[in-house]
Amino acid sequence: AQSVTQLGSHVSVSEGALVLLRCNYSSSVPPYLFWYVQYPNQGLQLLLKYTTGATLVKGINGFEAEFKKSETSFHLTKPSAHMSDAAEYFCAVTSPGGGTSYGKLTFGQGTILTVHP
Amino acid sequence: ETGVTQSPTHLIKTRGQQVTLRCSSQSGHNTVSWYQQALGQGPQFIFQYYREEENGRGNFPPRFSGLQFPNYSSELNVNALELDDSALYLCASSTGQTSSGANVLTFGAGSRLTVL
């Protein structure tokens, strides 16, 4: 079984400050890892994903995440927060198993990011 | 290209009733996944359909059922509704191919179900 733990249900930063959202996973096989963002009254949008290869993954809107196998972590960062980054962020995991495995995700509880002027 | 559309956007039912939620997948996508997102929680995987066959199921009882049609649109049916079924139901589609860049999930905006 797989699981995802997101540390901190709420994170608050000032505009221009570093954003760090934490994600730890549990998986018995090498995982595929994802970060999604959800704006109010909208569906989830993929920010970035790690499957294989380079462990530092760059995504949209200036976000990046680093897969650290030894720490079972996949933390999301952005050097400088913008007001438009305020949203809820979800970390998710699945295991490789063909293309349809991408649809069977296990999500964390989510982290609400607030950005102050 | 159109994205994933879900209907209805909001609905209210009472305990014991049945509900059908609908999803039109993105053009070119043949795989549909359904998720339940309770208030304050992350989405939970209900099941997935690939080429009209169920292809994986999460920890949900049989009263949660689904269909996928030849045009790859899908329905989620929930019988004997319970209060805890109140949630946002998300549909997501993908191509189901093995190319890592080709099968990213595209989510709809969801159907918000309230059970009274």
Side-chain angles (χ1 to χ4, degrees), chain A residues 37-89:
Chain A
V37 61
Q38 187 176 35
Y39 297 99
N41 301 315
Q42 294 188 28
L44 280 73
Q45 180 184 9
L46 180 70
L47 281 177
L48 49 79
K49 68 180 189 292
Y50 168 79
T51 54
T52 57
T55 56
L56 181 63
V57 179
K58 295 186 184 299
I60 63 172
N61 301 337
F63 285 94
E64 63 182 38
E66 186 171 10
F67 170 59
K68 292 188 176 180
K69 183 179 177 181
S70 61
E71 299 176 9
T72 61
S73 69
F74 190 57
H75 302 331
L76 181 71
T77 60
K78 182 174 180 177
S80 177
H82 191 273
M83 298 294 289
S84 61
D85 295 328
E88 189 162 17
Y89 292 79

Short mmCIF file of all heavy atoms in Angstrom, two decimals, chain A residues 37-89:
data_model
loop_
_atom_site.label_atom_id
_atom_site.label_comp_id
_atom_site.label_asym_id
_atom_site.label_seq_id
_atom_site.Cartn_x
_atom_site.Cartn_y
_atom_site.Cartn_z
N VAL A 37 -2.18 21.39 -8.01
CA VAL A 37 -2.70 22.59 -7.37
C VAL A 37 -4.20 22.68 -7.65
O VAL A 37 -4.66 22.29 -8.74
CB VAL A 37 -1.98 23.87 -7.87
CG1 VAL A 37 -2.15 24.07 -9.37
CG2 VAL A 37 -2.45 25.10 -7.11
N GLN A 38 -4.95 23.14 -6.66
CA GLN A 38 -6.40 23.29 -6.81
C GLN A 38 -6.80 24.69 -6.38
O GLN A 38 -6.64 25.06 -5.22
CB GLN A 38 -7.14 22.24 -5.98
CG GLN A 38 -8.64 22.23 -6.21
CD GLN A 38 -9.33 21.11 -5.45
OE1 GLN A 38 -8.93 20.75 -4.34
NE2 GLN A 38 -10.37 20.54 -6.05
N TYR A 39 -7.33 25.46 -7.31
CA TYR A 39 -7.88 26.77 -7.00
C TYR A 39 -9.35 26.62 -6.65
O TYR A 39 -9.99 25.64 -7.04
CB TYR A 39 -7.68 27.71 -8.20
CG TYR A 39 -6.23 27.97 -8.52
CD1 TYR A 39 -5.59 27.28 -9.54
CD2 TYR A 39 -5.48 28.88 -7.78
CE1 TYR A 39 -4.25 27.49 -9.84
CE2 TYR A 39 -4.14 29.10 -8.07
CZ TYR A 39 -3.54 28.39 -9.09
OH TYR A 39 -2.21 28.60 -9.36
N PRO A 40 -9.90 27.54 -5.90
CA PRO A 40 -11.31 27.42 -5.47
C PRO A 40 -12.25 27.16 -6.63
O PRO A 40 -12.15 27.79 -7.69
CB PRO A 40 -11.58 28.78 -4.82
CG PRO A 40 -10.23 29.22 -4.33
CD PRO A 40 -9.26 28.75 -5.37
N ASN A 41 -13.12 26.18 -6.42
CA ASN A 41 -14.15 25.83 -7.41
C ASN A 41 -13.58 25.36 -8.74
O ASN A 41 -14.24 25.49 -9.79
CB ASN A 41 -15.10 27.02 -7.64
CG ASN A 41 -15.78 27.45 -6.37
OD1 ASN A 41 -16.27 26.63 -5.60
ND2 ASN A 41 -15.79 28.75 -6.12
N GLN A 42 -12.37 24.83 -8.70
CA GLN A 42 -11.77 24.29 -9.91
C GLN A 42 -11.24 22.88 -9.65
O GLN A 42 -11.10 22.44 -8.51
CB GLN A 42 -10.63 25.19 -10.38
CG GLN A 42 -11.07 26.56 -10.84
CD GLN A 42 -9.93 27.34 -11.47
OE1 GLN A 42 -8.99 26.77 -12.02
NE2 GLN A 42 -10.01 28.66 -11.40
N GLY A 43 -10.97 22.18 -10.73
CA GLY A 43 -10.34 20.86 -10.62
C GLY A 43 -8.86 20.99 -10.33
O GLY A 43 -8.34 22.09 -10.13
N LEU A 44 -8.19 19.87 -10.30
CA LEU A 44 -6.76 19.86 -10.01
C LEU A 44 -5.95 20.06 -11.29
O LEU A 44 -6.30 19.55 -12.35
CB LEU A 44 -6.36 18.53 -9.37
CG LEU A 44 -6.65 18.36 -7.89
CD1 LEU A 44 -8.12 18.17 -7.64
CD2 LEU A 44 -5.85 17.19 -7.32
N GLN A 45 -4.87 20.80 -11.14
CA GLN A 45 -3.96 21.06 -12.27
C GLN A 45 -2.58 20.52 -11.90
O GLN A 45 -2.08 20.78 -10.80
CB GLN A 45 -3.89 22.56 -12.55
CG GLN A 45 -2.97 22.93 -13.70
CD GLN A 45 -2.86 24.44 -13.88
OE1 GLN A 45 -3.32 25.22 -13.07
NE2 GLN A 45 -2.22 24.84 -14.97
N LEU A 46 -1.96 19.80 -12.81
CA LEU A 46 -0.64 19.24 -12.55
C LEU A 46 0.41 20.35 -12.54
O LEU A 46 0.50 21.13 -13.48
CB LEU A 46 -0.29 18.20 -13.61
CG LEU A 46 1.07 17.53 -13.45
CD1 LEU A 46 1.08 16.61 -12.24
CD2 LEU A 46 1.45 16.75 -14.71
N LEU A 47 1.21 20.39 -11.47
CA LEU A 47 2.34 21.32 -11.39
C LEU A 47 3.61 20.68 -11.94
O LEU A 47 4.35 21.30 -12.71
CB LEU A 47 2.61 21.71 -9.95
CG LEU A 47 1.72 22.76 -9.30
CD1 LEU A 47 2.12 22.93 -7.84
CD2 LEU A 47 1.82 24.09 -10.03
N LEU A 48 3.87 19.44 -11.50
CA LEU A 48 5.07 18.73 -11.93
C LEU A 48 4.96 17.27 -11.54
O LEU A 48 4.10 16.90 -10.75
CB LEU A 48 6.33 19.35 -11.32
CG LEU A 48 6.35 19.63 -9.83
CD1 LEU A 48 6.62 18.38 -9.00
CD2 LEU A 48 7.39 20.71 -9.49
N LYS A 49 5.84 16.47 -12.15
CA LYS A 49 5.84 15.04 -11.82
C LYS A 49 7.26 14.50 -11.88
O LYS A 49 8.11 15.01 -12.62
CB LYS A 49 4.94 14.26 -12.76
CG LYS A 49 5.43 14.17 -14.20
CD LYS A 49 4.46 13.36 -15.04
CE LYS A 49 5.01 13.05 -16.43
NZ LYS A 49 5.15 14.23 -17.28
N TYR A 50 7.50 13.45 -11.09
CA TYR A 50 8.74 12.69 -11.14
C TYR A 50 8.40 11.25 -11.49
O TYR A 50 7.55 10.62 -10.85
CB TYR A 50 9.47 12.72 -9.79
CG TYR A 50 10.60 11.73 -9.76
CD1 TYR A 50 11.81 11.99 -10.37
CD2 TYR A 50 10.42 10.47 -9.16
CE1 TYR A 50 12.83 11.05 -10.38
CE2 TYR A 50 11.42 9.53 -9.17
CZ TYR A 50 12.62 9.82 -9.78
OH TYR A 50 13.60 8.88 -9.79
N THR A 51 9.06 10.74 -12.50
CA THR A 51 8.89 9.32 -12.84
C THR A 51 10.24 8.62 -12.73
O THR A 51 10.44 7.81 -11.84
CB THR A 51 8.28 9.15 -14.24
OG1 THR A 51 9.07 9.86 -15.20
CG2 THR A 51 6.86 9.70 -14.28
N THR A 52 11.15 8.94 -13.59
CA THR A 52 12.50 8.38 -13.51
C THR A 52 13.47 9.48 -13.95
O THR A 52 13.05 10.53 -14.45
CB THR A 52 12.69 7.17 -14.43
OG1 THR A 52 12.39 7.57 -15.76
CG2 THR A 52 11.80 6.02 -14.03
N GLY A 53 14.77 9.22 -13.76
CA GLY A 53 15.76 10.18 -14.25
C GLY A 53 16.10 11.24 -13.23
O GLY A 53 16.20 10.97 -12.03
N ALA A 54 16.28 12.44 -13.70
CA ALA A 54 16.73 13.56 -12.85
C ALA A 54 15.79 13.73 -11.66
O ALA A 54 14.57 13.76 -11.80
CB ALA A 54 16.78 14.84 -13.66
N THR A 55 16.41 13.85 -10.48
CA THR A 55 15.61 13.91 -9.26
C THR A 55 15.09 15.30 -8.96
O THR A 55 14.18 15.45 -8.15
CB THR A 55 16.43 13.41 -8.06
OG1 THR A 55 17.63 14.18 -7.97
CG2 THR A 55 16.78 11.93 -8.23
N LEU A 56 15.66 16.32 -9.59
CA LEU A 56 15.15 17.68 -9.44
C LEU A 56 14.25 17.96 -10.63
O LEU A 56 14.69 17.94 -11.77
CB LEU A 56 16.30 18.69 -9.37
CG LEU A 56 15.88 20.15 -9.18
CD1 LEU A 56 15.15 20.33 -7.85
CD2 LEU A 56 17.10 21.07 -9.26
N VAL A 57 12.99 18.20 -10.33
CA VAL A 57 11.99 18.34 -11.38
C VAL A 57 11.45 19.77 -11.38
O VAL A 57 11.10 20.30 -10.33
CB VAL A 57 10.82 17.36 -11.15
CG1 VAL A 57 9.77 17.52 -12.23
CG2 VAL A 57 11.31 15.93 -11.08
N LYS A 58 11.42 20.37 -12.55
CA LYS A 58 10.87 21.71 -12.67
C LYS A 58 9.47 21.64 -13.25
O LYS A 58 9.19 20.82 -14.15
CB LYS A 58 11.78 22.56 -13.55
CG LYS A 58 13.16 22.80 -12.95
CD LYS A 58 14.00 23.77 -13.76
CE LYS A 58 15.40 23.90 -13.20
NZ LYS A 58 15.40 24.43 -11.81
N GLY A 59 8.60 22.49 -12.73
CA GLY A 59 7.23 22.49 -13.19
C GLY A 59 6.79 23.86 -13.68
O GLY A 59 7.61 24.72 -13.97
N ILE A 60 5.49 24.03 -13.70
CA ILE A 60 4.94 25.29 -14.18
C ILE A 60 4.96 26.34 -13.07
O ILE A 60 5.10 26.01 -11.90
CB ILE A 60 3.50 25.11 -14.71
CG1 ILE A 60 2.56 24.65 -13.59
CG2 ILE A 60 3.48 24.13 -15.87
CD1 ILE A 60 1.11 24.63 -13.98
N ASN A 61 4.84 27.59 -13.48
CA ASN A 61 4.73 28.72 -12.55
C ASN A 61 5.92 28.85 -11.61
O ASN A 61 5.79 29.39 -10.51
CB ASN A 61 3.44 28.63 -11.73
CG ASN A 61 2.20 28.61 -12.61
OD1 ASN A 61 2.24 29.07 -13.74
ND2 ASN A 61 1.12 28.06 -12.10
N GLY A 62 7.10 28.37 -12.01
CA GLY A 62 8.31 28.53 -11.22
C GLY A 62 8.48 27.53 -10.09
O GLY A 62 9.41 27.67 -9.28
N PHE A 63 7.62 26.55 -9.98
CA PHE A 63 7.75 25.54 -8.93
C PHE A 63 8.73 24.44 -9.32
O PHE A 63 8.89 24.14 -10.50
CB PHE A 63 6.38 24.90 -8.63
CG PHE A 63 5.47 25.78 -7.85
CD1 PHE A 63 4.54 26.60 -8.48
CD2 PHE A 63 5.53 25.80 -6.45
CE1 PHE A 63 3.69 27.42 -7.74
CE2 PHE A 63 4.69 26.61 -5.71
CZ PHE A 63 3.77 27.42 -6.36
N GLU A 64 9.36 23.85 -8.33
CA GLU A 64 10.20 22.69 -8.54
C GLU A 64 10.13 21.79 -7.32
O GLU A 64 9.70 22.21 -6.24
CB GLU A 64 11.64 23.07 -8.86
CG GLU A 64 12.37 23.81 -7.78
CD GLU A 64 13.80 24.18 -8.22
OE1 GLU A 64 14.00 24.53 -9.41
OE2 GLU A 64 14.70 24.10 -7.38
N ALA A 65 10.53 20.54 -7.51
CA ALA A 65 10.52 19.58 -6.41
C ALA A 65 11.69 18.63 -6.59
O ALA A 65 12.13 18.37 -7.71
CB ALA A 65 9.22 18.81 -6.37
N GLU A 66 12.19 18.12 -5.49
CA GLU A 66 13.32 17.20 -5.53
C GLU A 66 12.93 15.87 -4.91
O GLU A 66 12.46 15.83 -3.76
CB GLU A 66 14.54 17.77 -4.83
CG GLU A 66 15.78 16.89 -4.98
CD GLU A 66 17.04 17.55 -4.47
OE1 GLU A 66 16.95 18.60 -3.82
OE2 GLU A 66 18.13 16.98 -4.74
N PHE A 67 13.12 14.80 -5.65
CA PHE A 67 12.88 13.45 -5.15
C PHE A 67 14.11 13.00 -4.37
O PHE A 67 15.22 12.94 -4.90
CB PHE A 67 12.63 12.50 -6.32
CG PHE A 67 12.60 11.04 -5.95
CD1 PHE A 67 11.69 10.57 -5.01
CD2 PHE A 67 13.49 10.14 -6.53
CE1 PHE A 67 11.66 9.22 -4.67
CE2 PHE A 67 13.46 8.80 -6.20
CZ PHE A 67 12.55 8.33 -5.27
N LYS A 68 13.91 12.71 -3.08
CA LYS A 68 14.99 12.21 -2.24
C LYS A 68 14.59 10.85 -1.71
O LYS A 68 13.82 10.74 -0.74
CB LYS A 68 15.28 13.17 -1.09
CG LYS A 68 15.87 14.50 -1.55
CD LYS A 68 16.32 15.34 -0.36
CE LYS A 68 16.99 16.63 -0.83
NZ LYS A 68 17.44 17.48 0.30
N LYS A 69 15.14 9.81 -2.34
CA LYS A 69 14.76 8.44 -1.99
C LYS A 69 15.12 8.12 -0.55
O LYS A 69 14.35 7.48 0.16
CB LYS A 69 15.45 7.46 -2.94
CG LYS A 69 15.08 6.01 -2.74
CD LYS A 69 15.79 5.13 -3.74
CE LYS A 69 15.47 3.66 -3.50
NZ LYS A 69 16.18 2.79 -4.47
N SER A 70 16.30 8.56 -0.11
CA SER A 70 16.76 8.22 1.24
C SER A 70 15.87 8.83 2.31
O SER A 70 15.75 8.29 3.41
CB SER A 70 18.20 8.71 1.44
OG SER A 70 18.27 10.11 1.30
N GLU A 71 15.22 9.95 1.99
CA GLU A 71 14.33 10.61 2.93
C GLU A 71 12.85 10.35 2.62
O GLU A 71 11.99 10.86 3.32
CB GLU A 71 14.60 12.12 2.92
CG GLU A 71 16.01 12.50 3.32
CD GLU A 71 16.29 13.99 3.22
OE1 GLU A 71 15.33 14.77 2.99
OE2 GLU A 71 17.46 14.39 3.36
N THR A 72 12.59 9.60 1.60
CA THR A 72 11.22 9.36 1.09
C THR A 72 10.44 10.67 1.03
O THR A 72 9.30 10.76 1.53
CB THR A 72 10.46 8.30 1.91
OG1 THR A 72 10.34 8.75 3.28
CG2 THR A 72 11.16 6.97 1.86
N SER A 73 11.06 11.68 0.43
CA SER A 73 10.44 12.99 0.39
C SER A 73 10.35 13.52 -1.03
O SER A 73 11.11 13.10 -1.93
CB SER A 73 11.21 13.98 1.26
OG SER A 73 12.47 14.27 0.69
N PHE A 74 9.45 14.45 -1.22
CA PHE A 74 9.26 15.10 -2.53
C PHE A 74 8.70 16.48 -2.24
O PHE A 74 7.55 16.80 -2.54
CB PHE A 74 8.30 14.27 -3.40
CG PHE A 74 8.23 14.70 -4.84
CD1 PHE A 74 9.37 14.75 -5.63
CD2 PHE A 74 7.01 15.03 -5.43
CE1 PHE A 74 9.30 15.12 -6.97
CE2 PHE A 74 6.93 15.40 -6.77
CZ PHE A 74 8.07 15.44 -7.53
N HIS A 75 9.52 17.32 -1.62
CA HIS A 75 9.07 18.65 -1.20
C HIS A 75 8.97 19.61 -2.38
O HIS A 75 9.82 19.58 -3.29
CB HIS A 75 10.03 19.23 -0.16
CG HIS A 75 10.17 18.38 1.07
ND1 HIS A 75 9.17 17.57 1.54
CD2 HIS A 75 11.22 18.23 1.93
CE1 HIS A 75 9.58 16.95 2.64
NE2 HIS A 75 10.82 17.33 2.89
N LEU A 76 8.00 20.47 -2.33
CA LEU A 76 7.74 21.46 -3.39
C LEU A 76 8.28 22.82 -2.97
O LEU A 76 8.02 23.25 -1.83
CB LEU A 76 6.23 21.55 -3.65
CG LEU A 76 5.78 22.51 -4.76
CD1 LEU A 76 6.16 21.97 -6.13
CD2 LEU A 76 4.27 22.73 -4.67
N THR A 77 8.99 23.48 -3.85
CA THR A 77 9.53 24.80 -3.52
C THR A 77 9.30 25.79 -4.66
O THR A 77 9.12 25.40 -5.82
CB THR A 77 11.05 24.73 -3.22
OG1 THR A 77 11.72 24.24 -4.38
CG2 THR A 77 11.35 23.84 -2.03
N LYS A 78 9.32 27.05 -4.26
CA LYS A 78 9.31 28.15 -5.21
C LYS A 78 10.09 29.29 -4.57
O LYS A 78 9.83 29.64 -3.42
CB LYS A 78 7.89 28.60 -5.55
CG LYS A 78 7.85 29.72 -6.59
CD LYS A 78 6.42 30.04 -7.01
CE LYS A 78 6.43 31.17 -8.05
NZ LYS A 78 5.07 31.48 -8.55
N PRO A 79 11.09 29.85 -5.26
CA PRO A 79 11.96 30.83 -4.63
C PRO A 79 11.24 32.08 -4.15
O PRO A 79 11.58 32.64 -3.12
CB PRO A 79 12.96 31.18 -5.74
CG PRO A 79 12.90 30.03 -6.69
CD PRO A 79 11.49 29.53 -6.64
N SER A 80 10.23 32.53 -4.89
CA SER A 80 9.59 33.80 -4.58
C SER A 80 8.08 33.68 -4.78
O SER A 80 7.61 33.51 -5.91
CB SER A 80 10.16 34.90 -5.47
OG SER A 80 9.51 36.13 -5.24
N ALA A 81 7.34 33.76 -3.69
CA ALA A 81 5.89 33.58 -3.76
C ALA A 81 5.21 34.78 -4.41
O ALA A 81 5.62 35.93 -4.22
CB ALA A 81 5.32 33.37 -2.36
N HIS A 82 4.15 34.48 -5.13
CA HIS A 82 3.32 35.50 -5.75
C HIS A 82 1.91 35.34 -5.22
O HIS A 82 1.49 34.24 -4.85
CB HIS A 82 3.36 35.33 -7.28
CG HIS A 82 2.76 36.46 -8.03
ND1 HIS A 82 1.41 36.54 -8.32
CD2 HIS A 82 3.32 37.58 -8.55
CE1 HIS A 82 1.16 37.64 -8.98
NE2 HIS A 82 2.30 38.30 -9.14
N MET A 83 1.18 36.45 -5.19
CA MET A 83 -0.20 36.39 -4.68
C MET A 83 -1.02 35.32 -5.40
O MET A 83 -1.87 34.66 -4.79
CB MET A 83 -0.88 37.75 -4.83
CG MET A 83 -0.22 38.87 -4.04
SD MET A 83 -0.37 38.63 -2.27
CE MET A 83 -2.11 38.92 -2.04
N SER A 84 -0.76 35.14 -6.68
CA SER A 84 -1.53 34.18 -7.48
C SER A 84 -1.23 32.72 -7.11
O SER A 84 -1.91 31.81 -7.60
CB SER A 84 -1.27 34.39 -8.96
OG SER A 84 0.10 34.19 -9.25
N ASP A 85 -0.21 32.50 -6.26
CA ASP A 85 0.11 31.13 -5.83
C ASP A 85 -0.82 30.64 -4.73
O ASP A 85 -0.79 29.46 -4.38
CB ASP A 85 1.56 31.06 -5.33
CG ASP A 85 2.57 31.32 -6.43
OD1 ASP A 85 2.30 30.96 -7.60
OD2 ASP A 85 3.64 31.89 -6.12
N ALA A 86 -1.61 31.52 -4.16
CA ALA A 86 -2.52 31.12 -3.09
C ALA A 86 -3.52 30.10 -3.61
O ALA A 86 -4.27 30.37 -4.56
CB ALA A 86 -3.25 32.34 -2.55
N ALA A 87 -3.51 28.93 -3.03
CA ALA A 87 -4.32 27.80 -3.50
C ALA A 87 -4.09 26.63 -2.55
O ALA A 87 -3.35 26.74 -1.57
CB ALA A 87 -3.94 27.40 -4.92
N GLU A 88 -4.69 25.50 -2.86
CA GLU A 88 -4.42 24.28 -2.11
C GLU A 88 -3.56 23.36 -2.98
O GLU A 88 -3.82 23.20 -4.17
CB GLU A 88 -5.71 23.56 -1.71
CG GLU A 88 -5.47 22.41 -0.75
CD GLU A 88 -6.71 21.97 0.01
OE1 GLU A 88 -7.84 22.32 -0.41
OE2 GLU A 88 -6.56 21.26 1.03
N TYR A 89 -2.57 22.76 -2.35
CA TYR A 89 -1.59 21.94 -3.07
C TYR A 89 -1.65 20.51 -2.55
O TYR A 89 -1.70 20.28 -1.34
CB TYR A 89 -0.18 22.51 -2.89
CG TYR A 89 -0.01 23.85 -3.58
CD1 TYR A 89 -0.49 25.03 -3.00
CD2 TYR A 89 0.60 23.94 -4.83
CE1 TYR A 89 -0.36 26.25 -3.64
CE2 TYR A 89 0.74 25.16 -5.48
CZ TYR A 89 0.25 26.30 -4.88
OH TYR A 89 0.38 27.52 -5.52
#
